């Protein structure tokens, strides 16, 4: 009779040895399975959910991810506590901010692979990585007193490689004594260790005290806009001509590499196709020069940019583009 006190509904009396109550148990399990929706199953979304911005909160254990989620929602929706590892699987919450639908994912903390031992934690980490791949914007939460450790860098690199927009969030900023020096050290580390996300927004806050939280969602909206950025083909090619005049590609064996044409092939993240001659000899440093130029010229500073270098003639000759 103590099971009634749990508030979980009507208990099901069974006998595993004699098979009694199995039909009733099966019926309940079947109803529960039918009602379950995988939060990462895009096919299960209705029209309204598909328009929601998918936002994942990730980071190492015990940096305040769940506290941040609760504070943003204005209610104790997920469990929190001083112990690391309370969140074991990804929790999906439908939310609305400033009239915009948000699908918020609170994830389990990601430790270094060598420290992940038991099967449950391995499943939790896999769920978090899946949330990153499913998200559109990822907020990487870090402890301001111990930020940008190796695991933070690996998570940030994974987010960029998956092509997701990123916001860096420093929690527990109220515990930092010399804030000016801490800001300087953090900026230097980002510049040196994460050059691939130069220009990414940084938000400093205290989830427990509720300070600085009003800056998180504007930063998310900023990177989401950049993630969806589109640039006109005519503007791109005028820009390419200027970039080539300022700094032509190096000659190989006395023969020039000619940059013929550039066009944006997709957004989310912004992806560009550059058509050139002798593409195998185009240095990676020159490709980075062009990517950085796109960031500056078209104000796309906070998201990954893909540049695909292709051999051949201009495929858009004779088209409307």
């Amino acid at each position: 009779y103590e099971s009634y006190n749990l508030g979980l509904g009507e208990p099901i009396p069974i006998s595993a040895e004699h098979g009694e109550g199995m039909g009733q148990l099966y019926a309940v399990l079947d109803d529960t399975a039918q009602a379950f929706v995988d939060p990462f199953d895009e096919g299960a979304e209705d029209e309204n959910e598909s328009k929601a911005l998918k936002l994942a909160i990730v980071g190492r254990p015990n940096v305040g991810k769940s506290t941040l989620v609760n504070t943003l929602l204005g209610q104790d929706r997920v469990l929190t506590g001083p112990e690391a590892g309370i969140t074991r699987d990804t929790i999906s919450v439908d939310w609305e901010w400033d009239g915009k639908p948000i699908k918020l994912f609170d994830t389990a903390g990601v430790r270094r692979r060598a420290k992940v031992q038991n099967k449950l934690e391995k499943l939790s980490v896999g769920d978090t990585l899946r949330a990153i791949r499913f998200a559109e914007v990822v907020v990487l939460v870090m402890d301001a007193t111990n930020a940008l450790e190796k695991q933070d860098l690996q998570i940030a690199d994974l987010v960029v490689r998956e092509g997701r927009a990123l916001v860096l969030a420093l929690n527990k900023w109220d515990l930092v004594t010399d804030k000016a020096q801490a800001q300087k050290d953090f900026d230097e580390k980002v510049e040196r260790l994460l050059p691939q996300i130069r220009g990414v927004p940084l938000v400093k806050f205290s989830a427990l005290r509720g300070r600085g939280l009003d800056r998180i969602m504007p930063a998310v909206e900023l990177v989401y806009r950049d993630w969806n950025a589109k640039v006109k083909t005519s503007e791109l090619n005028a820009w390419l001509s200027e970039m080539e005049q300022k700094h032509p590609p190096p000659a190989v064996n006395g023969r020039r590499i000619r940059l013929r044409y550039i066009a944006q092939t997709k957004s989310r993240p912004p992806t560009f196709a550059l058509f050139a001659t002798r593409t195998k000899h185009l240095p990676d440093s020159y490709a980075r020069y062009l990517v950085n130029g796109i960031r500056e010229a078209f104000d796309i500073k906070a998201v990954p940019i893909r540049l695909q270098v292709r051999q051949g003639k201009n495929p858009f000759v004779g088209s409307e583009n």
Side-chain angles (χ1 to χ4, degrees):
Y1 290 103
E2 289 85 354
S3 57
Y4 282 92
N5 295 328
L6 296 176
L8 300 177
E10 185 75 16
I12 303 170
I14 65 169
S15 171
E17 183 176 359
H18 299 289
E20 296 179 3
M22 292 296 115
Q24 186 181 0
L25 177 62
Y26 176 82
V28 173
L29 289 174
D30 187 50
D31 290 343
T32 304
Q34 294 294 332
F36 175 76
V37 177
D38 186 343
F40 303 121
D41 184 5
E42 296 188 53
E45 293 180 346
D46 60 27
E47 185 177 351
N48 292 329
E49 286 180 321
S50 65
K51 294 178 181 178
L53 190 158
K54 300 177 182 66
L55 174 62
I57 310 296
V58 304
R60 289 183 285 130
N62 209 28
V63 294
K65 299 182 297 297
S66 295
T67 303
L68 170 61
V69 169
N70 283 339
T71 309
L72 288 174
L73 296 175
Q75 57 179 295
D76 293 335
R77 186 66 180 268
V78 293
L79 289 175
T80 62
E83 304 86 0
I86 290 180
T87 303
R88 285 294 190 175
D89 56 1
T90 297
I91 299 170
S92 171
V93 181
D94 292 321
W95 179 47
E96 188 173 284
W97 175 79
D98 197 25
K100 303 178 181 66
I102 308 288
K103 199 170 188 66
L104 191 62
F105 295 93
D106 180 29
T107 64
V110 180
R111 297 197 297 165
R112 284 186 295 145
R113 182 176 296 179
K115 291 188 176 182
V116 178
Q117 300 295 335
N118 62 64
K119 292 182 179 180
L120 179 59
E121 188 171 3
K122 289 180 181 179
L123 290 172
S124 299
V125 171
D127 217 22
T128 298
L129 300 181
R130 195 177 173 200
I132 291 174
R133 297 185 182 102
F134 182 77
E136 296 168 326
V137 180
V138 177
V139 175
L140 173 56
V141 182
M142 296 172 284
D143 188 328
T145 62
N146 192 21
L148 285 181
E149 283 201 342
K150 183 177 180 180
Q151 191 64 11
D152 295 327
L153 299 174
Q154 290 178 338
I155 295 173
D157 183 62
L158 173 63
V159 172
V160 174
R161 284 189 284 110
E162 289 293 335
R164 304 300 177 245
L166 178 65
V167 173
L168 299 180
L170 286 181
N171 191 18
K172 308 178 185 179
W173 187 247
D174 54 316
L175 302 180
V176 176
T177 51
D178 190 345
K179 291 180 170 53
Q181 185 61 44
Q183 176 74 63
K184 182 179 179 181
D185 293 343
F186 188 84
D187 291 342
E188 185 274 329
K189 282 186 177 180
V190 171
E191 185 76 17
R192 177 168 50 89
L193 301 174
L194 293 171
Q196 69 272 40
I197 58 169
R198 189 175 293 125
V200 68
L202 168 65
V203 180
K204 298 162 290 188
F205 68 100
S206 170
L208 192 61
R209 299 182 181 275
R211 298 175 183 170
L213 290 170
D214 57 330
R215 295 192 290 268
I216 290 181
M217 289 309 299
V220 167
E221 193 172 39
L222 170 67
V223 297
Y224 183 69
R225 185 179 68 235
D226 284 353
W227 195 61
N228 286 277
K230 295 181 180 179
V231 184
K232 293 181 180 179
T233 303
S234 57
E235 295 178 0
L236 274 171
N237 283 279
W239 162 84
L240 181 64
S241 178
E242 292 179 7
M243 295 291 284
E244 188 175 14
Q245 290 177 11
K246 291 179 183 177
H247 181 41
V252 180
N253 297 328
R255 297 176 60 189
R256 286 185 55 200
I257 297 175
R258 297 184 182 277
L259 306 182
R260 297 188 180 277
Y261 192 79
I262 189 171
Q264 183 173 2
T265 55
K266 64 184 288 290
S267 57
R268 304 163 66 91
T271 302
F272 301 88
L274 172 67
F275 295 86
T277 62
R278 315 191 72 204
T279 55
K280 292 182 180 179
H281 301 287
L282 187 71
D284 292 339
S285 58
Y286 196 84
R288 288 194 296 271
Y289 162 72
L290 294 177
V291 168
N292 290 333
I294 291 173
R295 290 192 187 281
E296 294 297 326
F298 302 106
D299 196 27
I300 310 174
K301 297 180 180 179
V303 296
I305 291 179
R306 304 281 190 260
L307 181 65
Q308 300 167 345
V309 182
R310 300 177 182 177
Q311 181 81 27
K313 297 180 180 180
N314 176 1
F316 296 96
V317 169
S319 70
E320 294 182 0
N321 290 329

